[in-house]
Amino acid sequence: MLSKPLWRAAGCFLAIAAFAACAHTAETTDAPAASAADEARAYIESAEAELATRSEYEARIAWVYQTYINYDTEWLLQRTDAEGTEARVRLASGAGRFSDADLPPELRRRVDMLRLSLTMPAPQTEGAAAQLAEITTRLSSIYSTGRIEYQGRQVTLDELETLMGTERNPARLEEIWTKWHATAAPMREHYARMVEIANQGARDLGFDNVGEMWLSNYDMPAADMEREVERLWGQLQPFYEELHCFVRSGLNRQLGDAVVPLDQPIRADLLGNMWAQDWGTLMPIVRPANARAIYNTTQLLTRANYDAVRMTRTAETFYTSLGLDALPETFWERSLLTRPRDRDVVCHASAWDLDSQEDIRVKQCIQINAEHFQTIHHELGHNYYQRAYRNQPYLYQNGAHDGFHEAIGDFIALNITPQYLVDIGLLRRNQIPPASADISLLLEQALGKISFLPFALVMDQWRWQVFDGRITPENYNSAWWELRERYQGIRAPNARGEEFFDPGAKYHIANNVPYLRYFLSYILQFQFYEAACQQAGWEGPLHRCTVYGNEEVGQRFNAMLEMGASRPWPDALEAFTGARQMDGGAMVRYFEPLMVYMRAQNQGRNCGW
Ligand code: X8Z
Ligand code: ZN
């Protein structure tokens, strides 16, 4: 079975458009030869109409599969996935005939987007799309139905994720981590075959390999985009190195030299998260005695008796406070907000747009904790984006780039400040942490945001190298751990031979969701936030700013959302922030006081790995 991405917006937000009306742009007097442009326009409009119809059908089948995994829904998904790939490959390769045509920019953009609309292409040979769909479906189902035996019962991933953040005994953490990673071992051979098929599909469409195709989605040549990523990482890497040093020392204080040697990469299972991608749950452990204790959001939610619906309603309130419309009634009727007890579902959170009109939904197995509170804001960001761009032509019904789509809800969640928690009644006024607690507030954010960056890079560095052949099936796992050590400074808790397939223990690898989007999102969300706070006239420390209730900011924000993918992304960025470049500077400024503090704390420590 597969879950997945055949749609253009494959991944964590699924969108479908019904017959999108196509915008006809007025042609200027120096317009290129009418005939090529007319032909291309007719081709694109017909392709968009076909894709819009197909997408709604595919989305409804994918929804049924993801919320009810069984033999029949796998069968349906496999079949529609195969047909969808065939159609998209046919349309993309047909668009190839306009490669050199002189087209008005608006049309050129849609032609190019059509060529790039597949995440996992297949060759046009008989049966290839079906084989690819069989493999991707199988990988998805292995992941989503994975369970381990732990302390005498079968435990699912959502519960294991919570345990990784609360259990503090290293032996038990290692057991959970090791058993979960073993569930991915059967993916290995399927993954290797999938890479062969999809790479052939990419070559048939004129790309070197699938990785190059993924990197070509950013309004610049793939090689330039790779350099952009290096540049952005360079801005934040010094921060990560301080944080790593600081956290390792905190863990060492708690667990001793034998478990946390001070000159080694950190054991991946000790970082409070199954993939060591978000260290937020380590706050009680790594907060030094000289940094003040702050409230614990998980506790606030639990004590106020929040449930999944209330968490979602609260997140919605932030968006409506900016002047955006309330979610439709059908959102509440059709979303899946808690894990059903009686069947397998894809629990990884996602936001859906089933009909490109009003049928938007979230699917998330919500747990009542700080991380899920942030995630529900994230998901609604996807839904509000989808709704804002629904009147664009089909191919433009998407984020300015995929990092924008991921950054919307996270930007909103950055506004969850102590004052905001007071405004919504979760915190009492006298519990607002004083300025002397700023370091603790920033540390908690850094454990979630800075720790994530090198993880996100590893995810796609590994795949780019798999797709371009630098990593082969014989060294899938060793290359994975080399990258984890190089970028993140972490190591596995035990020997990981090639009998395992540890990359597949992460959703986005088992489900072929490109991950660079999240790296870019973590940079962009701070740019959005800093710009929004400037628009609001905020003058205090950046991390205390909330634009809750500010309709002027909301209007400018919505103007960017409504553009969808209709313009190159720098135009969208400019519409909201005034800048045309992605820039880690906003993130650096946000965390600056913490950086100064950590540098001082790390004095005399042997940082690095
Ligand atoms: O997958 C997600 C979202 C859905 S797009 C829940 N995220 C990444 C992850 O979980 O690995 C959000 C943060 C990074
Ligand atoms: Zn997302």
Side-chain angles (χ1 to χ4, degrees), residues 22-332:
C22 296
H24 290 258
T25 46
E27 312 238 328
T28 54
T29 42
D30 56 351
S35 58
D38 287 351
E39 201 196 325
R41 185 174 306 284
Y43 183 83
I44 288 294
E45 290 183 357
S46 132
E48 288 191 315
E50 176 180 347
L51 289 175
T53 317
R54 185 173 279 287
S55 296
E56 179 169 5
Y57 178 74
E58 290 170 346
R60 296 197 188 280
I61 287 180
W63 177 269
V64 175
Y65 163 78
Q66 291 205 13
T67 59
Y68 206 141
I69 304 177
N70 63 27
Y71 178 85
D72 296 311
T73 56
E74 283 186 9
W75 188 96
L76 285 165
L77 181 64
Q78 222 169 284
R79 171 163 302 200
T80 47
D81 251 10
E83 290 169 359
T85 300
E86 277 167 5
R88 283 172 181 76
V89 169
R90 168 172 50 75
L91 294 170
S93 83
R97 85 181 113 109
F98 306 112
S99 303
D100 300 323
D102 190 10
L103 304 176
E106 187 273 339
L107 199 52
R108 162 59 52 210
R109 185 167 176 77
R110 272 148 87 198
V111 168
D112 291 346
M113 285 176 134
L114 187 57
R115 275 189 69 233
L116 286 164
S117 68
L118 286 114
T119 306
M120 294 297 275
Q124 282 180 301
T125 45
E126 177 75 30
Q131 202 190 350
L132 181 64
E134 188 191 334
I135 295 172
T136 54
T137 306
R138 174 164 310 146
L139 293 175
S140 164
S141 287
I142 292 174
Y143 187 90
S144 291
T145 61
R147 285 177 167 61
I148 69 165
E149 198 196 299
Y150 182 64
Q151 299 190 335
R153 54 190 194 98
Q154 293 289 312
V155 187
T156 56
L157 177 60
D158 38 328
E159 203 182 320
L160 298 176
E161 286 189 61
T162 302
L163 274 173
M164 290 299 292
T166 50
E167 176 61 63
R168 300 297 185 206
N169 176 311
R172 283 199 286 271
L173 286 168
E174 179 176 352
E175 180 186 349
I176 297 169
W177 187 98
T178 305
K179 285 181 171 171
W180 175 253
H181 281 73
T183 65
M187 294 179 191
R188 161 182 279 274
E189 58 180 303
H190 305 298
Y191 198 89
R193 177 72 189 121
M194 179 191 75
V195 169
E196 287 172 7
I197 300 174
N199 263 343
Q200 187 56 53
R203 284 192 292 269
D204 289 356
L205 290 173
F207 297 92
D208 287 346
N209 59 69
V210 172
E212 198 222 359
M213 198 166 164
W214 289 4
L215 272 164
S216 299
N217 261 313
Y218 298 93
D219 296 311
M220 65 179 90
D224 292 1
M225 186 57 194
E226 246 185 300
R227 273 191 295 275
E228 265 304 88
V229 175
E230 283 304 314
R231 178 179 69 77
L232 295 167
W233 171 231
Q235 290 184 278
L236 275 310
Q237 191 178 3
F239 249 101
Y240 180 71
E241 286 168 4
E242 293 295 340
L243 183 68
H244 181 281
C245 192
F246 183 83
V247 164
R248 182 170 62 189
S249 140
L251 285 170
N252 172 279
R253 239 182 357 249
Q254 176 99 3
L255 299 170
D257 287 339
V259 182
V260 189
L262 284 173
D263 54 355
Q264 296 283 314
I266 306 170
R267 240 174 71 176
D269 55 335
L270 303 179
L271 286 160
N273 172 279
M274 185 65 85
W275 306 277
Q277 69 179 66
D278 176 339
W279 308 347
T281 54
L282 293 188
M283 188 61 186
I285 296 183
V286 302
R287 184 179 56 81
N290 65 2
R292 282 183 79 114
I294 48 172
Y295 58 82
N296 167 325
T297 306
T298 299
Q299 258 172 30
L300 298 180
L301 293 165
T302 319
R303 290 188 184 154
N305 278 322
Y306 267 57
D307 60 13
V309 172
R310 182 125 182 248
M311 299 242 291
T312 311
R313 283 273 180 214
T314 305
E316 178 196 29
T317 302
F318 202 106
Y319 291 87
T320 53
S321 88
L322 297 178
L324 304 177
D325 289 343
L327 294 165
E329 236 356 87
T330 51
F331 173 94
W332 303 101

Side-chain angles (χ1 to χ4, degrees), residues 478-596:
S478 61
W480 173 254
W481 285 104
E482 276 166 31
L483 287 167
R484 296 270 264 172
E485 176 166 341
R486 172 152 28 112
Y487 282 96
Q488 289 183 273
I490 65 172
R491 66 192 160 101
N494 46 48
R496 310 304 298 166
E498 293 298 335
E499 68 276 27
F500 295 111
F501 183 63
D502 294 329
K506 174 69 189 165
Y507 174 84
H508 304 70
I509 290 189
N511 291 275
N512 295 309
V513 181
Y515 213 81
L516 180 60
R517 61 188 61 183
Y518 302 106
F519 176 84
L520 301 176
S521 148
Y522 276 51
I523 302 283
L524 277 173
Q525 61 190 257
F526 286 92
Q527 277 184 269
F528 292 165
Y529 180 64
E530 188 182 52
C533 291
Q534 269 161 16
Q535 287 163 31
W538 176 257
E539 281 174 358
L542 186 53
H543 69 280
R544 295 270 185 170
C545 156
T546 183
V547 298
Y548 180 62
N550 191 320
E551 297 201 6
E552 277 160 47
V553 171
Q555 258 178 21
R556 200 155 160 192
F557 179 53
N558 201 46
M560 171 175 78
L561 301 187
E562 282 176 350
M563 291 167 75
S566 64
R567 308 281 313 156
W569 63 260
D571 290 3
L573 186 61
E574 188 172 25
F576 186 46
T577 71
R580 296 187 59 83
Q581 268 220 323
M582 292 187 279
D583 178 16
M587 195 171 187
V588 167
R589 288 186 286 279
Y590 179 102
F591 286 113
E592 185 57 29
L594 177 67
M595 181 69 162
V596 171

Side-chain angles (χ1 to χ4, degrees), residues 330-511:
T330 51
F331 173 94
W332 303 101
E333 291 159 13
R334 298 175 192 166
S335 288
L336 183 150
L337 299 177
T338 49
R339 179 189 268 281
R341 7 174 97 245
D342 58 343
R343 60 187 203 258
D344 280 316
V345 300
V346 176
C347 255
H348 190 86
S350 52
W352 298 58
D353 172 8
L354 286 279
D355 64 355
S356 168
Q357 291 302 315
E358 274 287 294
D359 195 351
I360 47 181
R361 310 177 193 174
V362 161
K363 179 187 60 58
Q364 183 182 343
C365 302
I366 297 183
Q367 314 237 3
I368 311 307
N369 62 39
E371 191 188 330
H372 279 251
F373 193 47
Q374 132 96 31
T375 303
I376 188 63
H377 287 79
H378 174 96
E379 297 308 333
L380 290 193
H382 288 309
N383 280 150
Y384 274 97
Y385 209 168
Q386 289 160 341
R387 182 194 255 187
Y389 59 55
R390 69 182 160 186
N391 293 324
Q392 291 285 350
Y394 178 85
L395 286 164
Y396 290 162
Q397 289 172 19
N398 214 333
H401 66 49
D402 53 10
F404 280 66
H405 229 302
E406 299 304 335
I408 300 307
D410 280 15
F411 149 61
I412 295 296
L414 285 176
N415 289 277
I416 304 178
T417 56
Q419 179 60 50
Y420 169 71
L421 292 175
V422 169
D423 291 346
I424 63 169
L426 260 179
L427 195 66
R428 288 194 310 273
R429 189 159 298 282
N430 63 5
Q431 289 174 303
I432 293 189
S436 60
D438 277 355
I439 290 301
S440 298
L441 289 168
L442 286 172
L443 178 59
E444 184 164 52
Q445 286 285 9
L447 290 170
K449 302 294 182 185
I450 307 236
S451 62
F452 179 81
L453 296 171
F455 169 74
L457 289 179
V458 168
M459 286 284 285
D460 275 6
Q461 286 285 352
W462 185 81
R463 282 185 290 195
W464 295 337
Q465 293 183 34
V466 164
F467 286 125
D468 76 13
R470 277 176 288 169
I471 297 174
T472 58
E474 297 72 53
N475 59 12
Y476 272 169
N477 226 32
S478 61
W480 173 254
W481 285 104
E482 276 166 31
L483 287 167
R484 296 270 264 172
E485 176 166 341
R486 172 152 28 112
Y487 282 96
Q488 289 183 273
I490 65 172
R491 66 192 160 101
N494 46 48
R496 310 304 298 166
E498 293 298 335
E499 68 276 27
F500 295 111
F501 183 63
D502 294 329
K506 174 69 189 165
Y507 174 84
H508 304 70
I509 290 189
N511 291 275

